[in-house]
């Protein structure tokens, strides 16, 4: 219902009621007690209120600039910080970093040594490179759910897969991301594993498959998301 409402009306269903005015509103984490108009921590009461900025003088160019009082006292104006390109101690962007290559696309990255040392599978540019690397390398006996042997999904699978995508409007049924946002067709996941069926064809039913984006699919396969049904 929430996914349908979001796509049809371009807005999520309200899930909270304001304690101040009684207006219903949506909060992604379902924690807020007040809407934006009634929140006692907004406006002048918020340390980051845009009208509460202080004025300081840059120690390099002596020009005046504004900063939020919740931040440390301003030392350099934004223009001087940007032109310093990481040379100032307060804006050191490359200090103590090492150069490594993305394990998938081989792009050179500047990372902290701790990141390079703790990533057991290597360092990647982003989740796309990591996902592509997983798809090519964590397969067969290298996959945590590998049980040995090869099997054929059969021709019925492609028909059921297409029907599942159409039924789910080419949208991930866990996070709600669409085909257009992904840039390709989402995955279609078997709720009950194909290997658990005596006949492969019996696993390929609309009641046993659900559309997921690649990220959610990996989380489901890893056991991080449970009780997901079409």
């Amino acid at each position: 219902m929430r996914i349908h409402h979001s796509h049809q009306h371009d807005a999520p269903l309200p899930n909270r009621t304001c304690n101040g005015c009684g207006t219903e509103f949506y909060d992604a984490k379902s924690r807020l007690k007040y809407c934006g108009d009634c929140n006692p921590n907004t406006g002048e009461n918020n340390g980051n209120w845009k009208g509460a900025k202080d004025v300081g003088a840059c120690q390099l160019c002596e020009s005046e600039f504004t900063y939020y009082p919740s931040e440390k006292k301003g030392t350099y104006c934004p223009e001087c910080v940007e032109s310093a390109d990481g040379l100032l101690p307060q804006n050191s962007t490359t200090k103590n970093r090492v150069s490594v290559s993305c394990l998938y696309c081989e792009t050179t990255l500047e990372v902290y040594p701790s990141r390079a040392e703790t990533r057991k599978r290597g360092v990647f540019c982003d989740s796309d490179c990591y996902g592509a690397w997983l798809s090519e390398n964590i397969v067969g006996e290298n996959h945590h759910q590998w049980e040995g042997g090869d099997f054929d999904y059969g021709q019925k699978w492609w028909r059921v897969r297409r029907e599942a995508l159409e039924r789910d409007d080419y949208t991930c049924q866990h996070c709600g991301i669409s085909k257009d946002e992904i840039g390709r067709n989402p995955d279609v996941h078997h709720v009950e594993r194909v290997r658990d069926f005596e006949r492969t064809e019996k696993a390929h039913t609309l009641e046993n498959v659900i559309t997921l984006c690649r990220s959610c699919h990996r989380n489901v396969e890893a056991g991080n998301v449970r009780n997901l049904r079409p």
Side-chain angles (χ1 to χ4, degrees), residues 77-94:
C77 68
E79 289 75 14
C80 286
V81 171
E82 183 176 355
S83 62
D85 193 23
L87 298 180
L88 294 174
Q90 290 83 356
N91 189 42
S92 179
T93 58
T94 58

Side-chain angles (χ1 to χ4, degrees), residues 37-157:
D37 295 331
C38 298
N39 193 332
N41 295 317
T42 58
E44 297 181 7
N45 297 320
N46 191 308
N48 284 327
W49 179 50
K50 67 179 181 180
K53 287 185 176 181
D54 286 341
V55 178
C58 176
Q59 293 186 9
L60 286 181
C61 67
E62 298 183 353
S63 64
E64 291 188 346
F65 66 99
T66 58
Y67 63 94
Y68 290 114
S70 59
E71 300 174 347
K72 67 178 182 179
K73 185 177 180 180
T75 303
Y76 304 101
C77 68
E79 289 75 14
C80 286
V81 171
E82 183 176 355
S83 62
D85 193 23
L87 298 180
L88 294 174
Q90 290 83 356
N91 189 42
S92 179
T93 58
T94 58
K95 184 179 180 181
N96 298 326
R97 296 198 180 194
V98 296
S99 297
V100 297
S101 297
C102 171
L103 194 59
Y104 182 72
C105 70
E106 299 184 354
T107 297
T108 300
L109 307 171
E110 298 291 332
V111 302
Y112 289 109
S114 58
R115 181 183 176 191
E117 294 169 359
T118 57
R119 298 297 174 89
K120 295 181 179 179
R121 289 178 173 171
V123 178
F124 300 88
C125 295
D126 49 32
S127 58
D128 290 335
C129 277
Y130 181 50
W133 181 86
L134 285 175
S135 297
E136 294 181 6
N137 294 273
I138 309 302
V139 295
E141 59 186 12
N142 293 323
H143 195 278
H144 66 281
Q145 291 185 332
W146 171 254
E147 294 183 1
D150 296 325
F151 62 92
D152 183 8
Y153 265 34
Q155 295 182 352
K156 181 182 177 182
W157 162 241

